[in-house]
Amino acid sequence: LLRSRSKNEHPEIPTKNPICEALQLVHYGPTQEYTAHHDFGYSHIDDDKNGARFATLLFYLNSGMEGGETSFPRWVNGETFHELAVKPDAGKAVLFYSQLPDGNMDDFSQHAAKPIIDGEKWLINLWIWDPAYD
């Protein structure tokens, strides 16, 4: 997934380009946050391929901070309308999708990094692209 492939390697995947971006190391110190956002964007109207980030995988590298949750403010279920908040712990990972099965973008994938109250937060992002995009 992280590199280009030869024509004989994984022939079932329609592109030979990498289908994910390079790993990104992220650090948040006290008071730092990332406000609510989506990981997808929209292609130009004339782009018939409409490539987009398909999924996001967050790997948490440390524990012990206060605050710093990854929150999903638009998350809803049959029991609550409160945001879903994931507490970062070393070795934990969160996977979420930015696209619906029909290829439309999922507005409920909006997420945020809550402010660090005490300590620091380290994580790695892996953004995976729709494999149909070339």
Side-chain angles (χ1 to χ4, degrees):
L1 293 178
L2 292 172
R3 60 178 170 73
S4 297
R5 291 174 298 285
S6 73
K7 65 181 178 178
N8 298 323
E9 188 177 8
H10 294 291
E12 72 281 5
I13 298 176
T15 180
K16 297 304 168 206
N17 293 324
I19 59 172
C20 61
E21 296 176 41
L23 297 172
Q24 180 185 45
L25 179 64
V26 181
H27 174 257
Y28 294 94
T31 74
Q32 290 185 316
E33 65 182 308
Y34 199 135
T35 58
H37 64 282
H38 296 96
D39 283 348
F40 61 79
Y42 292 98
S43 297
H44 188 274
I45 194 165
D46 295 328
D47 183 357
D48 62 349
K49 296 203 189 292
N50 196 27
R53 288 176 177 161
F54 174 74
T56 299
L57 186 56
L58 305 176
F59 300 97
Y60 298 114
L61 302 178
N62 69 312
S63 301
M65 78 284 307
E66 185 180 349
E69 298 87 354
T70 300
S71 72
F72 295 85
R74 294 183 181 207
W75 178 80
V76 295
N77 64 26
E79 298 176 9
T80 181
F81 288 98
H82 298 290
E83 70 182 8
L84 173 66
V86 179
K87 179 178 173 34
D89 284 314
K92 186 187 287 187
V94 173
L95 170 68
F96 60 93
Y97 295 90
S98 295
Q99 287 186 10
L100 299 168
D102 66 3
N104 283 306
M105 302 303 135
D106 185 359
D107 197 41
F108 291 114
S109 68
Q110 185 185 52
H111 58 287
K114 302 297 261 183
I116 301 293
I117 297 168
D118 186 45
E120 60 183 352
K121 175 181 168 182
W122 289 91
L123 69 132
I124 291 177
N125 290 341
L126 177 62
W127 288 303
I128 303 166
W129 283 75
D130 181 346
Y133 178 71
D134 194 6

